Amino acid sequence: MEYTSLKQQLADKGYAITKPLFNAVEIDAILRHVAEVDPAKPTFRKTTDLFAIRQFLKEVPAVQPLLFKPAFNALVEELLGKNAFLVKSIYFDKPEQSNWFVAYHQDLTISVDQKIDWEGFGPWTVKQNQFAVQPPLTILENNLTIRIHLDDTTESNGALKVIPGSHCKGVYRPEAIDWQQETEEICPVESGAVMLMKPLLLHASNRTTNQQRRRVIHLEFSNEALPKPLQWSEQCFPF
C-alpha cells in the first residue's frame, strides 16, 4: 500500500481513499455476524431510513478478527503509530430507498464513560445513555476516522461530500461556509475499500436515489489518553 500518498492526501485534503482491503468473502462473513444479533437493544437504531449499531465492536464482537487483519492493522499503525487504539465504533446501513440526508458538519465530539466538568471539555450531550463532549481541538486534530465500506458507494447512494482542507480551519460552522472560496468533492468508495478522514473535515451525505444500499463500519482511533478521571467510553486495543 502506498502510505506516503495516503498520508499526504490526509494532511492536505483531510481525507484519503484506499484500494479494497477486504474481499467479498470477508464482507459476507462480517454481514452474517451483523444479521445474527438481536436489534432490540438501546445501542441499536432502526427506522425505514437507517439501521445503526452504536458500540458496534461490543455488540458484535465476532467481527473483530475479520476487521483487524494484518493489512488493516498496518494501515492504522502507519498513520497513528503503534500506540493507537480504538475509541468509537458504529455500523451504518442506509437502505435502498433511504431518504436519510445528513447536512454539512464536523465530528466535534468524543464518547466518554461519564460526565465530569473539566477545563477545555464542553459542551456535553447524552445520547442513548452515552456521554459525548467536545474536547480540546488538539485531540480532534490528532484523531482519525476510518470508514470501511461494505458496498460500492457513489454519489447516488450517499457517498460523502466533503470540503477539502476544512479540517485545517478549526471549528468551522456550516453556516459560515464561503462557497466563493470553498469547493466540494464527492468521495465514491469501492466495496471493501477504506475512507480515511479527519474528524474536523466538513462532510455531508445525500439521499439515496439509485436503489442501492450503503453499509459502512465507522471506526474512530486515537493515540492520546484523556486527562484522568475522564476515560474513553469504548477504548480498546484490538491489534
Side-chain angles (χ1 to χ4, degrees), residues 169-183:
K169 300 182 179 182
V171 175
Y172 192 170
R173 300 299 180 189
E175 60 272 18
I177 297 173
D178 181 356
W179 290 110
Q180 299 298 316
Q181 301 293 327
E182 305 289 11
T183 59

Side-chain angles (χ1 to χ4, degrees), residues 48-92:
T48 56
D49 288 325
L50 180 72
F51 174 50
I53 306 173
R54 293 187 177 275
Q55 300 186 30
F56 177 59
L57 296 187
K58 289 183 180 180
E59 298 293 359
V60 194
V63 302
Q64 292 198 32
L66 295 168
L67 298 180
F68 300 114
K69 54 189 285 186
F72 182 85
N73 297 349
L75 174 65
V76 177
E77 181 177 320
E78 186 68 30
L79 295 174
L80 282 180
K82 293 185 177 181
N83 60 337
F85 49 86
L86 182 129
V87 296
K88 183 184 289 187
S89 61
I90 310 173
Y91 170 82
F92 290 111

Side-chain angles (χ1 to χ4, degrees), residues 23-217:
N23 60 41
V25 173
E26 293 167 328
I27 292 172
D28 286 344
I30 291 168
L31 293 174
R32 282 199 303 273
H33 288 305
V34 172
E36 292 168 355
V37 297
D38 177 10
K41 295 183 178 182
T43 51
F44 287 60
R45 175 178 182 178
K46 191 166 188 179
T47 69
T48 56
D49 288 325
L50 180 72
F51 174 50
I53 306 173
R54 293 187 177 275
Q55 300 186 30
F56 177 59
L57 296 187
K58 289 183 180 180
E59 298 293 359
V60 194
V63 302
Q64 292 198 32
L66 295 168
L67 298 180
F68 300 114
K69 54 189 285 186
F72 182 85
N73 297 349
L75 174 65
V76 177
E77 181 177 320
E78 186 68 30
L79 295 174
L80 282 180
K82 293 185 177 181
N83 60 337
F85 49 86
L86 182 129
V87 296
K88 183 184 289 187
S89 61
I90 310 173
Y91 170 82
F92 290 111
D93 180 353
K94 196 171 187 178
E96 294 89 336
Q97 297 181 346
S98 175
N99 284 319
W100 187 265
F101 168 82
V102 180
Y104 266 108
H105 66 286
Q106 297 172 299
D107 294 334
L108 293 175
T109 64
I110 59 173
S111 297
V112 295
D113 63 343
Q114 57 184 313
K115 181 178 179 180
I116 299 173
D117 290 333
W118 199 267
E119 185 177 357
F121 288 77
W124 290 80
T125 60
V126 181
K127 183 184 295 183
Q128 295 175 317
N129 298 319
Q130 173 66 68
F131 294 101
V133 64
Q134 184 171 325
L137 281 181
T138 52
I139 292 177
L140 296 175
E141 289 167 346
N142 289 328
N143 283 4
L144 177 67
T145 297
I146 301 182
R147 294 165 56 90
I148 302 170
H149 285 248
L150 307 179
D151 299 289
D152 288 332
T153 305
T154 68
E155 182 177 4
S156 299
N157 69 332
L160 289 188
K161 304 182 297 182
V162 304
I163 299 179
S166 54
H167 66 298
C168 297
K169 300 182 179 182
V171 175
Y172 192 170
R173 300 299 180 189
E175 60 272 18
I177 297 173
D178 181 356
W179 290 110
Q180 299 298 316
Q181 301 293 327
E182 305 289 11
T183 59
E184 178 180 89
E185 292 185 6
I186 308 295
C187 303
V189 185
E190 288 182 72
S191 175
V194 163
M195 181 173 179
L196 310 167
M197 190 172 76
K198 301 299 291 183
L200 290 174
L201 180 72
L202 274 164
H203 58 286
S205 176
N206 283 342
R207 297 174 175 86
T208 298
T209 60
N210 66 354
Q211 306 300 304
Q212 299 291 322
R213 74 194 303 181
R214 188 202 70 183
R215 291 166 291 189
V216 175
I217 297 172

